Amino acid sequence: MTEKQVYLFEEGNASMVKLLGGKGGNLAEMTALGLPIPPGFTITTDACKSYYKQGGQLSGELQSEIRRAISTLEKVKDSRFGDANQPLMVSVRSGSVTSMPGMMDTILNLGLNDETVLGLARQTASESFAYDCYRRLIAMFGEIVLGIPSLLFSQQLENLKIHAGRESDGEITAGEWKQLTGVYQLLVKEHSGIDFPQDVYQQLNMAVRAVFRSWNNARAKVYRRLYSIPHDQGTAVNVQAMVFGNKGEDSGTGVLFTRNPSTGAKELYGEYLINAQGEDVVAGLRTPRRLAELREGMPEVYDHLAALASGLEAHYRDMQDIEFTIENRTLYLLQTRSGKRTAQAAVKIAVDLYEAGEITKEEAVCRIDAGHLDQLLHRSVAPLEELKPLAIGLPASPGGASGMIALDAETAEAWKQNGSRVMLVSAETSPEDIHGILAAEGVLTAQGGMTSHAAVVARGMGKPCVCGCDQLSIDAEERIIYLGDHILKEGDVLSIDGTSGRVYAGDVPLSDPEMTPELLKLLGLADEIRELKIYANADTPQDARISRELGAEGIGLCRTEHMFFTGTRLPTVQSMILADSREERLSLLERILPMQQSDFEDMFKAMNGLPMTIRLLDPPLHEFLPNLEQLGEQLRRLQLTGGGLEEQKRLKRMIAKIRSLQEKNPMLGLRGCRLGIQFPEIYDMQIEAVFRAAKTTAHNGIEVRPEIMIPLVGDPRELKELRALVDKVASEVLGEAFKSISYRVGTMIEVPRAAVMADKIAEHADFFSFGTNDLTQMTFGYSRDDAEGKFLNSYLDRNILSGNPFQMLDQEGVGKLIEWAVARGKEKKSFLKTGLCGEHGGDQSSIFFCQQTGLDYVSCSPYRIPYARMAAAQAVIAARDEAANKKAEAVILPIE
Ligand code: PEP
Ligand code: MG
């Protein structure tokens, strides 16, 4: 027997989210709570998967189950699907397991045809209402099911208005709506080759198939990739009896948050439109009214809504995002879900609920989407007197941003790829624009409210956004925009402040973010829970100070080569690389030494008492030299003019040297410890600089804890040789202080062979730091830069890879090497310290892996530290939950 594929709302519950999707699970839960939910049913995500397996068909069983569920709705609603007198109408909506707002499709008013529309007209005593509903259905069906551009329908509506001299939709007569349904039907026939189906079951089957199909539309795929949502989850479909928000001035539809989703303040926050249907609010086509106005217009409805909202929040113990419809002053709830929120709001809400005793410390920490913490560390527009905004819109997503105006998503994406910062400016955004929002620093729209797509998507991505800026108008042909009296061209720089809604011409000063008391509180809770230490990847004294302020407990990776690039150092470094003899190189190294030493001193001061892992030079030497093509060009120019003979000689020498240093595969060539073995004087200088700095700083009462890290080791003998060098230089430099300053020598594990031979390597190491950037490159055999630019996306689309392994640690492959290396290393040396310092140190799932594998620390870039602290705490909670589940399973297993 096949599995049940259709559940009435009263048959499901919130724990069935995997099967019913988030929306379906919630509708079931709300039905069980006795809330005013229009009746309906959910077609499962499994049915979606079968649909794909069957090549895009709905099985006979599924169709029968749908018919049975419809007949239940008919009984409840005392109406019949396709009946000319008492017609039942339904909405058909997608509902995936993980919320993907606006990414898939919805069809309303399904069940209307040339006959049932008459029944609806009679029932509601409004022909105008009935035909308005019908024309909406044909347009939505035409667009979503048959793929006809929605513009064609709206153009016909505009034509009709011009012809009939109507200013707004409200003035259109019943006869005109009716006429429009005829025009729309012709349009459907012309563009799809089929008649708009009059059989209501055919409408329903086609709509269900279209929603299933929309799981794989381009914007949904981009969204899933962005938020690492598995492509094989599938979507559920919710079919629900219609209630109408467009029945006149005492009807409407809206969205309500139980707390302010931007700030987290405890207040009802929302928007609604009078005489409007379903998607009008989220679509952002009309600028909606604030919820406070509903209190004046329909106080009893407002009170009912407020009471339901607070009940729902108490039930779910979290801020809710509720969609509602008012039909002739009767309130219906269409859905509730955990509301999307800014990081600022997420933190405040979690702390408020924790302090009110509603949720535990662990729950508070888990309420934070660790990715959103980045948002709090966003820059904002400095509050300067002289900054005069050109316009003000709705503050839809906080933070300040500047960029070149791009008037469409494609332009935004193309300019971003060329390295420009762009600001997406648009009348409104639709879900198709997601790649443009992704590419942009920020988004500005003329229309749409705080819950429009632009706002929701930008908030989710942590990008500043200003919506509903009615002083903005756009001339897409001329590629110019008007902001009040000002005219700007596409490509001009514009700035926005998504926290205040202000829009400025040109660049504006952006100030650094600060930690709010709520964030500090929450991070404190996370610190009480987590076990992993959080270190920073910091290469400058400034980074070291910031890292410490953000809670770093040490530096896990100081890439010393970055110190070679700063200030006036590069020419000396270049001369050192170009040196003809060892003597010449030594004398130049002597000039570099005090520069490195002084940086180390400042960093030791900043890290007083905390470990500081200093990695010796890693990249191939040619990376420090100028670009060969540019040098060639300079030389050619001089040769043409015949001038600068000395300079020509210098250039020729440099070109020859760069050529001699060039390699076929530099990432696999002379770099890391190989370089240190080939040119020991470079490492010697670096080690000397570290210990001189340690000695001087310790002398001034600072507690120093240097940890010297050798990169790219692949064989134990490499480490043995270089460790001997470190010990020798340390004892020479420290002299008497050798006894009082303790240091460690360890290695990066970033070559697969080192992981495999970890026991032997551990003999010479005090610590292992997994360099998962290189370890991933070398384990997969992918060059990161080439993979990301060339084939990675297609691998993700084809599901060959389930995530980008350079962002999210590949636990099955690279992770196995890490587990092996940790186990072998610790077998040899139980006190071996282990950590990870690749980019993955700032990624949630990778941090979970580090916790499971028993590493001591993860190291990430400074602004990622709060994120890592939170994720590390979540990792502990997840591990505890898993252990508890296992225990529970063990208890209920029957004894054989
Ligand atoms: C690594 O390979 O993971 C690493 C941290 O080193 P880098 O990124 O500097 O190669
Ligand atoms: Mg590396």
Side-chain angles (χ1 to χ4, degrees), residues 537 557 559 561-562 615 618-619 667 671 709 712 748-750 769-777 784 837-840:
N537 291 355
L557 174 63
R559 292 176 163 110
E561 60 272 12
H562 288 182
R615 182 182 72 185
D618 180 25
M667 283 298 115
R671 57 172 285 219
M709 180 152 78
L712 226 73
M748 310 245 333
I749 302 280
E750 48 188 345
S769 176
F770 291 94
T772 45
N773 301 335
D774 273 308
L775 193 58
T776 302
Q777 295 205 90
R784 178 170 61 181
C837 67
E839 291 312 301
H840 306 88

Side-chain angles (χ1 to χ4, degrees), residues 218-239:
R219 61 182 195 267
K221 280 191 192 166
V222 171
Y223 192 93
R224 287 202 292 274
R225 230 178 12 238
L226 189 62
Y227 292 101
S228 306
I229 299 169
H231 289 299
D232 57 4
Q233 245 177 22
T235 181
V237 182
N238 297 294
V239 179

Side-chain angles (χ1 to χ4, degrees), residues 31 36 54 91 119 121 193 201 209 298 347 362 414 422 626 663 859:
T31 303
Q54 286 157 6
S91 63
Y201 278 103
R209 289 206 323 250
M298 295 187 227
V347 169
E362 285 74 13
V422 293
E663 295 171 308
S859 190

Side-chain angles (χ1 to χ4, degrees), residues 63-108:
Q63 293 188 40
S64 325
E65 279 194 65
I66 292 175
R67 275 182 186 259
R68 279 200 296 279
I70 286 280
S71 70
T72 310
L73 291 198
E74 290 175 336
K75 281 185 204 115
V76 181
K77 290 291 287 181
D78 194 19
S79 56
R80 285 184 64 77
F81 198 41
D83 188 88
N85 295 314
Q86 297 276 57
L88 169 73
M89 277 147 293
V90 293
S91 63
V92 179
R93 296 169 200 258
S94 60
S96 53
V97 177
T98 320
S99 158
M100 294 169 55
M103 290 300 122
M104 288 172 290
D105 297 325
T106 290
I107 300 170
L108 304 177

